[in-house]
Amino acid sequence: MFILVLRFANVCKNANFAAAFQILINMFKIIRKTYLTPSVCLMEVEAPRIAMAAKPGQFLIIRANERGERIPLTICDYDAVKGTVTIVTQIVGASSRIICNMGTGESFSDMAGPLGRPSDFTLLPDGALKGKRYLFIGGGVGTAPIFPQVKYLSGQGALCDVIIGARNSSLLIFTEEMKSVADNVFVCTDDGSAGEKGVVTKVAERLLDGGKHYDHAVSIGPMIMMKFCSLSLKKYNIPLTVSLNSIMVDGTGMCGACRVTVGGKTRFACSEGPEFNGYEVNYDEAMRRQKLYRNQEIEADERCRSKLEGKQ
Amino acid sequence: MRNKIPRVRAKEQDAKIRATNFKEVCFGFNISEAQAEASRCLQCKVPGCVQQCPVHINIPAFIAKVEAGDISAAAKIIAKDSFLPAVCGRVCPQESQCEGNCILGKKGESVSIGKLERFVSDYAREHQIRFTEKAPSKGKSVAIVGSGPSSLACASDLARNGYDVTIFEALHRPGGVLEYGIPEFRLPKESVVSYEIETVKSLGVKIITDVLIGRTITVDDLLGKEGFSAVYIGSGAGLPKFMGIPGENLNGVFSANEYLTRNNLMKAFDSSYETPIFHGHKTAVVGGGNVAMDAARTALRLGSKVTIVYRRSQAELPARAEEVHHAVEEGIAFDMLTNPVEIVGDGNGCVKALRCIKMELGEPDESGRRRPLPVEGSEFEIAADCVIMALGTSPNSLISDTTEGLDTDRKGCIIADETGATSRPGVFAGGDAVSGAATVILAMGAGRTAAASIDKYLSGERSPL
Ligand SMILES: Cc1cc2nc3c(=O)[nH]c(=O)nc-3n(C[C@H](O)[C@H](O)[C@H](O)COP(=O)(O)OP(=O)(O)OC[C@H]3O[C@@H](n4cnc5c(N)ncnc54)[C@H](O)[C@@H]3O)c2cc1C
Ligand SMILES: Cc1cc2nc3c(=O)[nH]c(=O)nc-3n(C[C@H](O)[C@H](O)[C@H](O)COP(=O)(O)OP(=O)(O)OC[C@H]3O[C@@H](n4cnc5c(N)ncnc54)[C@H](O)[C@@H]3O)c2cc1C
Ligand code: SF4
Ligand code: SF4
Ligand code: FES
């Protein structure tokens, strides 16, 4: 009798489990979509498994449809309870255009993640971050990936100053969201159309020269901006972390497309990064490798544009 | 005398034509060719062929059924020992396994066991013959990591035995190397690989893609909050090796895995997909195994001139004999006893040439093969705008790094005993993840052994009740 009861309990457990699986089975539905600028789009997507496991610093790989490329995007926010993740995509070519062209209620074919190592500070013991001072420098669409880091750190009692830079005011994103989690937010634009006129490194130098002290700096944005951050912060002796957006295929450490030279050694950005010591990265090589498929990409985007226009 | 009949050759696409397309090279036997070839088998009482087949398919028995024209009975015999006969018939290194030990091969030519196995399984597929009986549910669930041949074999055996099986695959399509590594022209994806995977699914096995174990969920979670009773790790050996020579990060240098994944899994050769791929004019492929042949022949089909650079001699090429033969026929050049020392850039960060040194064979090394030694002063350059490194792969450390108490060896391979059990109770492993890069049939065999051990482990676990 006892055995029977146990067996039954087992079956029930398994039946529940199967039902639970149905819910978790791959459905990557877009439940919210807004344009942050004419070419940057924010989407909240159902991805319960990723939402449950995500940590600051990690990314995911998305395939819009059955014929799509595998595109890495940083996880810009996650909600384990709701089972959603937030991505922010800038239209730079065919695949990002296809992603941004999808609407609320539609689903992506695939979303794999969270990928990459979480930011180092997530591994510190409880209490270790209390009172630590962080300087974040975000450029363009790189501002969004900073958000979960600042949110996490503030939650742990760290103090975060955030510099957000863009070419002009229409390209600025996440300034309000950032203000809700950071201690101070400094905005700058190349043309002075919002915030200070000038580049992010100028603002950083002004803060540091003015006597501000930081335990750690994090810079995320275009490769060239991260390079200049590393050149400029070096003289202040602050540890610097950067997040590398090299070309990726699988994102699991299987192909080596994402390899970068860090500290003179070849590293795989997807599995050993994407965050590395900003002073050790060979940025020139990384930038060159990003341009590998430039011609094919331009052609693909031309095709994609004419297809999308044809639809309208 | 049966053995006087000459070996029947399967028809193939003409080398010139196939060098420009991705369709399968070999057409396989038709039924009369298969029967003629089957009639050559001597039906040995102590068949050498069976001894050398890693899963011990009853070769003479299935061949007898082919000769008698009862193909579905032949399929049933093969199915007892192999789940992926359409795959193994195509990709097993037969010359060093079954066919290598066929008695006819001692004096003349061995029976075409691989081609016959392929014929039987293709016939079974075309006639929708599937063997999907299974035992009543045991009410226990097993999680499997990865969906390569090793995992598929383990999953099928467990499902047939009444277990509830879920496979978690990191990529967007199941199949492992069968899907992302071995090209279409050797192993058709839709007709063969997908069909075999459908068979596994028809046994009730669930396959969940886009889940990277160690990141999305850990092995500890699978055994803990996800409620699985056991886990099988068949995560393969996917981490590509590079040589560590200057210039390896120049634009135009790829691992074979990247190049092949773009073309196979992501269908770069098909313009209806978005995937970009580098179109070299002159490609140098470094290595001498199946992976090197596949990369070289893929580059050729994408329009490049191709040279294979290998540090030992022709006789030591580890690739299947048939692939080397096909590669030569298709016009691929071979630079033997040659080792790269540097990849030379053009000043703008792109590859211009592969700088090599000539090698000569010295004393035998641990592997019993004569060790290649550089010939001083023999350096020369091979012009190339694309270099593909096919130097082998090793297991990725993600799973061992994120699993409590799972031991690995110096090379990062998971340590498992002959039953597939690892240092962690309830966790089993096999295939390339344990052995390092090997073969499809060995990976399958390891999956089946582990399935038997998992059954024993889980039955044992229940018996105290
Ligand atoms: C870890 C990581 C995190 C990222 N996070 C974000 C993000 O949060 N938001 C965002 O908008 N972008 C992000 N990117 C960049 C984004 O992946 C690329 O913009 C996108 O792949 C471009 O694809 P496309 O087809 O639209 O453009 P394309 O025209 O194909 O390429 C434009 C440029 O994007 C880069 N790129 C192309 N293909 C890839 C690829 N498969 N992987 C990586 N880069 C590629 C190349 O530098 C290329 O020159 C991230 C990249 C990485 C590696
Ligand atoms: C190009 C190429 C050609 C080959 N040619 C031949 C041949 O002709 N004949 C032959 O016998 N053998 C050949 N091989 C070798 C053979 O394919 C392998 O030995 C065999 O596929 C190993 O099977 P496996 O199941 O152990 O692993 P794999 O086939 O490597 O499958 C492992 C799977 O696990 C997935 N995975 C890995 N890590 C995780 C994780 N953490 N979470 C979830 N999923 C994960 C991977 O994405 C992959 O799909 C070839 C290999 C290559 C690369
Ligand atoms: S499985 Fe491989 S080794 Fe065994 S009989 Fe078939 S082809 Fe030969
Ligand atoms: S060894 Fe050759 S001849 Fe003998 S049974 Fe096997 S296939 Fe037939
Ligand atoms: S993207 Fe393939 S190894 Fe990093």
Side-chain angles (χ1 to χ4, degrees):
Chain A
M1 186 58 205
F2 178 61
I3 297 172
L4 270 181
V5 171
L6 257 180
R7 286 227 174 120
F8 179 71
N10 228 335
V11 171
C12 280
K13 197 178 114 212
N14 277 307
N16 274 339
F17 186 66
F21 251 125
Q22 284 308 311
I23 302 165
L24 288 179
I25 237 153
N26 306 3
M27 271 293 291
F28 306 105
K29 191 155 122 195
I30 305 165
I31 60 165
R32 183 162 66 94
K33 173 185 177 182
T34 47
Y35 277 97
L36 303 179
T37 79
S39 67
V40 176
C41 156
L42 176 146
M43 288 168 166
E44 190 176 346
V45 187
E46 281 177 1
R49 282 193 182 283
I50 304 178
M52 253 189 285
K55 296 237 169 63
Q58 291 186 300
F59 64 99
L60 48 75
I61 281 199
I62 186 168
R63 244 172 35 112
N65 56 50
E66 270 310 313
R67 275 158 202 271
E69 254 188 292
R70 295 173 65 92
I71 296 297
L73 294 171
T74 312
I75 300 171
C76 296
D77 203 357
Y78 47 90
D79 185 332
V81 180
K82 249 168 104 185
T84 61
V85 294
T86 301
I87 51 170
V88 173
T89 317
Q90 176 169 37
I91 302 178
V92 295
S95 299
S96 47
R97 192 178 300 282
I98 292 167
I99 291 169
C100 291
N101 226 50
M102 290 180 59
T104 312
E106 288 187 273
S107 295
F108 296 113
S109 298
D110 298 275
M111 238 183 181
L115 303 172
R117 295 176 50 244
S119 302
D120 283 338
F121 57 71
T122 63
L123 306 171
L124 296 175
D126 271 352
L129 286 165
K130 201 161 179 58
K132 290 275 182 256
R133 307 187 63 95
Y134 274 77
L135 176 64
F136 281 89
I137 305 173
V141 71
T143 309
I146 281 178
F147 177 72
Q149 304 202 10
V150 176
K151 187 172 157 184
Y152 178 96
L153 286 165
S154 302
Q156 297 282 318
L159 304 164
C160 301
D161 285 356
V162 182
I163 303 170
I164 301 178
R167 262 178 294 140
N168 60 56
S169 63
S170 76
L171 301 173
L172 277 171
I173 61 167
F174 263 67
T175 45
E176 291 313 308
E177 290 83 346
M178 207 65 84
K179 281 180 188 158
S180 71
V181 290
D183 290 277
N184 298 294
V185 174
F186 307 91
V187 171
C188 63
T189 49
D190 292 2
D191 65 355
S193 52
E196 268 175 65
K197 182 172 159 65
V199 291
V200 286
T201 43
K202 197 177 121 201
V203 181
E205 285 175 14
R206 179 173 56 74
L207 292 174
L208 289 157
D209 291 339
K212 283 259 195 182
H213 163 78
Y214 297 102
D215 298 295
H216 205 113
V218 178
S219 166
I220 306 182
M223 210 66 94
I224 187 79
M225 181 200 92
M226 295 190 280
K227 175 179 171 175
F228 282 117
C229 283
S230 78
L231 293 175
S232 139
L233 293 186
K234 188 136 208 170
K235 50 185 177 286
Y236 299 97
N237 231 339
I238 308 168
L240 170 69
T241 300
V242 297
S243 179
L244 299 185
N245 50 351
S246 37
I247 292 184
M248 295 187 180
V249 180
D250 58 300
T252 71
M254 180 269 271
C255 76
C258 61
R259 61 197 194 277
V260 286
T261 302
V262 182
K265 286 208 192 77
T266 295
R267 310 284 295 271
F268 287 7
C270 72
S271 51
E272 300 177 83
E275 297 189 342
F276 291 101
N277 178 343
Y279 299 121
E280 294 189 341
V281 173
N282 182 338
Y283 295 98
D284 294 337
E285 178 190 279
M287 282 188 267
R288 169 186 27 88
R289 290 184 58 82
Q290 278 186 326
K291 297 198 193 95
L292 185 59
Y293 296 104
R294 206 59 217 130
N295 294 340
Q296 285 181 59
E297 283 156 355
I298 293 167
E299 277 173 35
D301 198 29
E302 295 286 309
R303 276 201 307 275
C304 172
R305 263 188 231 229
S306 53
K307 223 196 268 172
L308 289 175
E309 273 159 20
K311 254 200 225 162
Q312 278 154 13
Chain B
M1 283 275 287
R2 289 166 71 93
N3 57 359
K4 283 283 150 64
I5 309 167
R7 192 183 214 220
V8 183
R9 311 257 162 232
K11 293 192 184 63
E12 289 174 352
Q13 262 200 83
D14 178 77
K16 278 218 180 59
I17 296 168
R18 71 178 190 246
T20 62
N21 68 45
F22 280 89
K23 294 200 198 91
E24 196 171 9
V25 168
C26 175
F27 296 123
F29 288 145
N30 61 29
I31 187 146
S32 52
E33 288 163 341
Q35 283 182 301
E37 180 63 14
S39 74
R40 294 179 61 227
C41 171
L42 301 179
Q43 295 291 319
C44 306
K45 287 273 162 334
V46 188
C49 55
V50 179
Q51 281 165 22
Q52 280 304 103
C53 164
V55 296
H56 307 300
I57 290 179
N58 191 341
I59 295 165
F62 99 72
I63 291 184
K65 293 293 179 198
V66 173
E67 192 182 356
D70 189 353
I71 312 302
S72 125
K76 195 156 187 178
I77 293 168
I78 297 175
K80 270 200 219 115
D81 301 297
S82 172
F83 283 108
L84 304 171
V87 175
C88 294
R90 286 174 167 84
V91 308
C92 262
Q94 285 97 6
E95 70 273 14
S96 58
Q97 298 182 352
C98 53
E99 295 178 19
N101 209 29
C102 166
I103 190 81
L104 289 186
K106 302 273 185 296
K107 282 202 184 128
E109 284 191 291
S110 60
V111 175
S112 264
I113 304 170
K115 293 275 184 307
L116 285 171
E117 183 177 336
R118 169 186 164 167
F119 166 75
V120 171
S121 48
D122 285 355
Y123 178 98
R125 183 178 65 245
E126 279 148 24
H127 294 79
Q128 295 285 322
I129 303 167
R130 269 184 167 136
F131 304 99
T132 53
E133 312 87 67
K134 51 184 226 175
S137 170
K138 289 206 167 70
K140 286 198 175 185
S141 54
V142 179
I144 295 188
V145 183
S147 62
S150 176
S151 298
L152 293 171
C154 184
S156 311
D157 269 7
L158 287 169
R160 275 174 218 264
N161 248 317
Y163 291 97
D164 183 16
V165 182
T166 306
I167 292 181
F168 295 95
E169 166 57 50
L171 296 173
H172 59 264
R173 284 178 70 89
V177 170
L178 308 183
E179 183 68 27
Y180 78 69
I182 304 180
E184 187 72 23
F185 56 82
R186 271 216 293 142
L187 187 62
K189 303 293 162 251
E190 267 324 300
S191 59
V192 178
V193 181
S194 300
Y195 178 88
E196 303 272 13
I197 289 170
E198 281 310 312
T199 309
V200 177
K201 282 195 193 159
S202 69
L203 291 165
V205 173
K206 293 181 270 303
I207 303 184
I208 305 187
T209 50
D210 298 325
V211 175
L212 181 64
I213 300 298
R215 290 267 186 249
T216 318
I217 330 170
T218 60
V219 170
D220 296 308
D221 286 342
L222 291 174
L223 290 168
K225 64 180 183 204
E226 301 264 352
F228 289 98
S229 306
V231 175
Y232 177 72
I233 302 172
S235 52
L239 182 71
K241 289 196 186 98
F242 287 90
M243 296 187 77
I245 56 175
E248 260 181 323
N249 289 348
L250 287 169
N251 285 8
V253 184
F254 305 92
S255 75
N257 266 6
E258 175 183 357
Y259 196 73
L260 290 168
T261 300
R262 285 183 180 276
N263 207 53
N264 300 332
L265 176 73
M266 301 179 51
K267 314 258 181 270
F269 68 90
D270 177 343
S271 62
S272 70
Y273 283 75
E274 302 288 341
T275 317
I277 195 160
F278 189 85
H279 288 269
H281 299 285
K282 283 189 174 163
T283 303
V285 177
V286 183
N290 287 319
V291 184
M293 299 303 139
D294 285 346
R297 295 168 71 199
T298 297
L300 179 89
R301 282 160 172 75
L302 291 173
S304 181
K305 282 205 165 64
V306 186
T307 304
I308 287 181
V309 176
Y310 181 56
R311 65 198 180 111
R312 299 181 193 256
S313 65
Q314 184 93 25
E316 279 106 350
L317 281 172
R320 295 179 75 226
E322 187 177 3
E323 308 315 328
V324 177
H325 171 72
H326 282 156
V328 172
E329 273 186 352
E330 287 164 11
I332 286 175
F334 285 77
D335 252 316
M336 293 294 148
L337 289 167
T338 301
N339 207 27
V341 289
E342 183 188 349
I343 302 168
V344 187
D346 66 353
N348 292 316
C350 297
V351 177
K352 188 180 89 182
L354 186 64
R355 205 169 159 65
C356 299
I357 189 161
K358 276 288 175 197
M359 308 293 275
E360 61 189 5
L361 293 178
E363 294 299 307
D365 60 13
E366 322 82 68
S367 72
R369 297 181 298 181
R370 293 173 64 192
R371 189 194 303 272
L373 300 166
V375 179
E376 229 168 289
S378 67
E379 292 192 15
F380 69 105
E381 281 187 7
I382 299 173
D385 57 354
C386 178
V387 173
I388 302 175
M389 293 292 181
L391 304 153
T393 53
S394 58
N396 185 318
S397 66
L398 179 59
I399 293 178
S400 47
D401 287 349
T402 55
T403 307
E404 207 61 55
L406 185 68
D407 293 347
T408 53
D409 68 11
R410 207 170 31 88
K411 290 182 180 156
C413 299
I414 297 173
I415 298 175
D417 66 16
E418 66 289 349
T419 70
T422 67
S423 54
R424 172 82 187 266
V427 178
F428 298 76
D432 283 5
V434 167
S435 60
T439 63
V440 171
I441 189 75
L442 287 173
M444 253 179 56
R448 300 201 65 192
T449 306
S453 313
I454 291 171
D455 182 37
K456 221 187 231 166
Y457 170 76
L458 293 180
S459 321
E461 197 182 61
R462 206 172 31 190
S463 61
L465 289 174

